[in-house]
Amino acid sequence: MSVVSPDSLDEALEALAADPEAHVVAGGTDFMVEVNFDHRRPESVVSLHRIEALRSWSDEADRLRIGSGVTCATLERSPFTALVPALAQAARTVGSPQIRNAATVGGNLGTASPAGDLLPVLSALDATVVIQHARGARSISIHDFLVGPKRNALEAGELVVATTLPVLGERQEFVKVGMRNAMVIAVASVAVVRIGARLNVALGSVGPTVLRARDAEAWFAARGLDVAAVDEFAVRVAAEARPIDDHRSTAEYRRHAVRVCAARAARRILR
Ligand SMILES: Cc1cc2nc3c(=O)[nH]c(=O)nc-3n(C[C@H](O)[C@H](O)[C@H](O)COP(=O)(O)OP(=O)(O)OC[C@H]3O[C@@H](n4cnc5c(N)ncnc54)[C@H](O)[C@@H]3O)c2cc1C
């Protein structure tokens, strides 16, 4: 297996253009599990680990740009706890401290699991994914990026270089249910973000990919985010989940969990 470990983004893009079949690895917390279970047999690997530029972030004109190499350990701390609290909350629930030191935003997007904890928050915030190829860059909505279970819109030779999202200065919440309190993949998760007179709601682990509860969002906005209507709002959010039975949970429990999490998150935001 050949491993290329470039120092710059340009070198990484050139390496991928020359060998579009090469596997990209960032923190390796998903990639190496797949290799260990023999689900992937890479002949060539491009590691992003040494590319400093991907680990940077900036906050300009109320929009945050987070490099794809930023880790969950970085996101769970200040200033992200103030800038984008739900993302910090989600990052804090990923794996263990060791995993969070390695796990990146780009890796969560690259895996595109319906249980990827950062993804419901990016969806609720209508984030944009910045993608680059040796030929040029493009930006797409998170909703177009996540195309199915563990499937994203990346084409051969492309890398996620960053994600951009609004800094809202309003309350937002991420709530996750799992089999235990730590080191757990979500059975269900809910991200709720207040944007003025509406709440955006995105659901994890209860569909083939992250889902937005758009009908419930519109219904609640039309009721002026009346706190007395939170329970019905949560029932409507749960109705938009598309859960399945699997080794982690039943569909019925997942729908129940979504309802409880949505109500809890909405109450915290509106109190
Ligand atoms: C013990 C354990 C616990 C875990 N717990 C959680 C959890 O609670 N919540 C959760 O969400 N995840 C969890 N994970 C999964 C994993 O840690 C996350 O998905 C993490 O964000 C992956 O990031 P990474 O940098 O390690 O990705 P990698 O493993 O390096 O890459 C993952 C995928 O993304 C692609 N990729 C990486 N970077 C880019 C890029 N810049 N551009 C294009 N493609 C890219 C790779 O090619 C690969 O397909 C856990 C994993 C382990 C091993």
Side-chain angles (χ1 to χ4, degrees):
M1 181 172 77
S2 75
V3 179
V4 183
S5 198
D7 291 312
S8 74
L9 179 59
D10 284 347
E11 284 174 66
L13 293 168
E14 277 165 29
L16 281 174
D19 179 8
E21 300 302 314
H23 291 240
V24 171
V25 61
T29 60
D30 278 323
F31 178 82
M32 288 312 299
V33 173
E34 293 199 354
V35 172
N36 288 344
F37 280 106
D38 208 17
H39 296 156
R40 286 204 208 199
R41 286 191 182 189
E43 285 180 8
S44 51
V45 169
V46 175
S47 167
L48 307 181
H49 191 67
R50 290 167 61 179
I51 306 176
E52 201 58 47
L54 295 180
R55 280 200 286 275
S56 66
W57 62 272
S58 59
D59 172 21
E60 280 162 29
D62 293 333
R63 205 152 173 95
L64 195 57
R65 187 182 200 276
I66 303 176
S68 65
V70 170
T71 63
C72 290
T74 298
L75 285 182
E76 71 180 303
R77 299 193 185 114
S78 173
F80 296 99
T81 41
L83 292 171
V84 60
L87 196 63
Q89 287 170 352
R92 200 175 304 131
T93 75
V94 171
S96 61
Q98 294 91 333
I99 294 293
R100 294 197 289 277
N101 275 332
T104 64
V105 183
N108 218 247
L109 285 161
T111 296
S113 163
D117 284 321
L118 305 183
L119 306 181
V121 183
L122 297 182
S123 173
L125 288 167
D126 295 318
T128 296
V129 182
V130 185
I131 296 169
Q132 207 159 332
H133 186 279
R135 286 192 304 269
R138 68 185 174 116
S139 293
I140 64 173
S141 156
I142 182 75
H143 310 301
D144 297 323
F145 181 84
L146 300 171
V147 296
K150 298 204 169 181
R151 285 181 31 238
N152 62 47
L154 284 177
E155 289 170 12
E158 287 188 326
L159 283 177
V160 176
V161 291
T163 179
T164 70
L165 33 104
V167 175
L168 297 166
E170 297 191 82
R171 284 178 181 261
Q172 43 186 246
E173 292 284 339
F174 173 80
V175 188
K176 169 175 168 180
V177 172
M179 306 277 273
R180 55 190 183 194
N181 280 342
M183 277 291 279
V184 69
I185 302 295
V187 155
S189 66
V190 179
V192 184
V193 169
R194 182 168 191 166
I195 303 183
R198 57 180 296 126
L199 296 186
N200 285 2
V201 186
L203 312 176
S205 278
V206 290
T209 185
V210 171
L211 304 174
R212 274 286 288 274
R214 293 191 191 275
D215 290 346
E217 289 173 10
W219 180 88
F220 203 32
R223 268 144 201 85
L225 305 185
D226 179 3
V227 81
V230 162
D231 286 334
E232 184 171 351
F233 167 64
V235 168
R236 288 170 178 268
V237 169
E240 290 184 64
R242 288 155 56 197
I244 56 167
D245 293 335
D246 67 10
H247 60 289
R248 281 200 199 99
S249 182
T250 61
E252 187 187 358
Y253 179 74
R254 284 190 157 109
R255 200 180 290 283
H256 168 76
V258 166
R259 183 178 62 71
V260 172
C261 292
R264 200 168 287 170
R267 280 209 174 83
R268 281 184 198 152
I269 287 171
L270 298 174
R271 76 182 168 214

